[in-house]
Amino acid sequence: MTVRTLRVGLIGYPVEHSLSPVMQQAAFDALGIPARYELWPTLPAELAERVAGLRRPDALGANVTVPHKTQVLALVDEVSPLARRAGAVNTIVNRAGRLYGDNTDVPGFLAPLKARGHDFAQTDAVILGAGGAARAVAVALAGAGCRGVLVANRTPERGAALARELGAPLTAAALDARLAGPLARAALLVNATAIGWNGEALPLDPALLDSLPPGSLVYDLTYRRTPLLRAAEARGLATLDGFAMLVQQGVAAFRLWTGQEPPAELMRAAAQAARAQHS
């Protein structure tokens, strides 16, 4: 009997840099699941048709990345409460032709912090950016019980709108020299902007890093050693890139698609090897 190959992939633009195909394929192969994880570069005008194709019987679902996480909310049949609050879907599951949207970025972001034993109740955090990634981080930190979460954005109105919508403990400020005061009280600084994926630009004036207390952690969602992380390390600060988050959100997505417990360590090792090849 011929075994039907199931399809799952990454919807976004661009997607060529992604480590998800190697990571997820390793898990499917290890568990003997006949599925192929593919890259699906998708322009905004193609998004509705791409998502509709996930209703086919051979489609398990998809991951969703920039710039489509927000737009996908309106294209699926059901959305988890977490994805609704985060305002973004990064995982779609085909449930017999009905599409379910969830957000695994939120637990994925928190996982490495929990592994470090981070004390959220004693944490004042500063998030750089006010886009979709920043919103997921804000939802995660507020849900984890952070004492204060400040959204800093170059367009202060965007940060203020996000803080108003999500409510306490969120506040907002401009991403400028006045951020020195809040940073002096921060135990956690998170870069949720796209600055750092390429080039040598930093999302803030590096001199502001001098305001952080010695025990602070600088967390960049980009899974490379960004200029921000290098500047933080030079000042003796603890750093964390987005690699562990990538793996943990992928583990959670695999569970949603298959209902099975994935080989998390194998997925991490596969992604690590692929990252080493690309660096």
Side-chain angles (χ1 to χ4, degrees):
M1 187 176 87
T2 303
V3 177
R4 180 178 63 189
T5 299
L6 301 170
R7 299 170 63 245
V8 61
L10 176 63
I11 298 171
Y13 198 88
V15 292
E16 290 75 18
H17 65 280
S18 177
L19 302 179
S20 291
V22 170
M23 177 174 68
Q24 296 289 3
Q25 196 62 54
F28 285 127
D29 293 346
L31 296 185
I33 298 172
R36 297 298 305 172
Y37 191 103
E38 301 167 348
L39 290 176
W40 295 333
T42 304
L43 293 169
E46 303 165 340
L47 182 61
E49 182 179 358
R50 176 73 73 186
V51 172
L54 298 177
R55 300 180 187 278
R56 292 171 40 181
D58 65 340
L60 276 178
N63 285 132
V64 184
T65 189
V66 265
H68 302 316
K69 293 183 184 183
T70 301
Q71 289 76 10
V72 161
L73 279 164
L75 300 176
V76 298
D77 302 301
E78 184 182 354
V79 176
S80 73
L82 181 60
R84 183 72 64 190
R85 181 161 169 76
V89 164
N90 82 321
T91 303
I92 302 173
V93 185
N94 180 13
R95 294 178 171 175
R98 284 183 57 81
L99 300 182
Y100 174 78
D102 208 340
N103 188 302
T104 67
D105 283 336
V106 172
F109 168 79
L110 290 174
L113 294 175
K114 291 178 177 177
R116 298 168 71 101
H118 195 86
D119 185 356
F120 294 99
Q122 299 301 315
T123 291
D124 288 301
V126 174
I127 302 170
L128 305 180
R135 184 183 177 111
V137 170
V139 167
L141 292 176
C146 275
R147 185 167 56 194
V149 180
L150 177 72
V151 178
N153 196 59
R154 296 193 186 280
T155 306
E157 294 78 14
R158 286 193 69 195
L162 179 58
R164 281 195 305 271
E165 185 179 352
L166 295 180
L170 266 72
T171 56
L175 208 174
D176 58 24
R178 291 170 290 180
L179 200 58
L183 286 173
R185 301 185 295 273
L188 176 65
L189 172 65
V190 182
N191 177 31
T193 76
I195 299 173
W197 273 109
N198 296 293
E200 292 300 309
L202 277 77
L204 82 173
D205 182 343
L208 284 169
L209 295 174
D210 295 327
S211 301
L212 287 166
S216 297
L217 173 66
V218 179
Y219 188 166
D220 198 318
L221 302 192
T222 305
Y223 46 86
R224 62 183 287 259
R225 189 167 171 265
T226 63
L228 174 65
L229 295 183
R230 295 200 301 271
E233 289 165 0
R235 289 162 171 81
L237 296 166
T239 61
L240 181 65
D241 69 21
F243 181 77
M245 175 181 173
L246 170 78
V247 174
Q248 290 302 317
Q249 69 84 12
V251 165
F254 189 95
R255 288 194 193 103
L256 287 169
W257 293 323
T258 68
Q260 297 190 43
E261 187 61 27
E265 180 53 33
L266 178 65
M267 294 173 74
R268 188 204 65 77
Q272 182 65 55
R275 180 168 73 160
Q277 280 189 329
H278 295 155
S279 61

